[in-house]
Amino acid sequence: MAEREQWYWSLRQHRVVGEGEEKAEDRLGPYRTREDAEKAMEHVAERNDQWVTDPRFNDPDEDEDEEKDDEPRVRFDGSPIED
């Protein structure tokens, strides 16, 4: 049996799967090797840590005053959101 070229981490099964064994929405990858796919959640944790500590992505604290937008808030269908 030939070695698979791409591997995925299944978010539902919590294990490595091959192409077509899991829906795209339920997996991470592709990874080049099975070993890389096994470390998928470690990669996710590392990227999350980088994102949390990156000053470009830090939102202002909730306690800080933010300028209010003059635009009315609307739903996806265009109807207004009453505050």
Side-chain angles (χ1 to χ4, degrees):
M1 183 172 182
E3 188 83 17
R4 296 178 199 258
E5 291 184 9
Q6 294 183 331
W7 297 91
Y8 300 84
W9 179 258
S10 169
L11 296 168
R12 282 187 330 104
Q13 301 176 50
H14 305 281
R15 67 179 184 91
V16 173
V17 295
E19 182 77 35
E21 292 182 47
E22 190 71 81
K23 292 191 286 185
E25 64 193 39
D26 293 328
R27 67 184 188 205
L28 299 175
Y31 296 94
R32 291 183 185 181
T33 66
R34 182 178 188 88
E35 292 77 22
D36 285 344
E38 288 171 346
K39 297 176 184 174
M41 295 310 293
E42 291 175 34
H43 295 291
V44 168
E46 289 170 6
R47 289 182 183 148
N48 284 348
D49 287 342
Q50 291 171 355
W51 180 79
V52 167
T53 59
D54 190 325
R56 296 176 295 170
F57 299 108
N58 286 335
D59 293 331
D61 290 336
E62 291 179 8
D63 296 336
E64 293 180 17
D65 291 331
E66 295 182 33
E67 292 183 25
K68 294 252 179 178
D69 201 356
D70 290 337
E71 300 267 334
R73 297 180 348 154
V74 295
R75 294 184 175 85
F76 289 113
D77 64 1
S79 62
I81 298 174
E82 301 294 329
D83 290 325

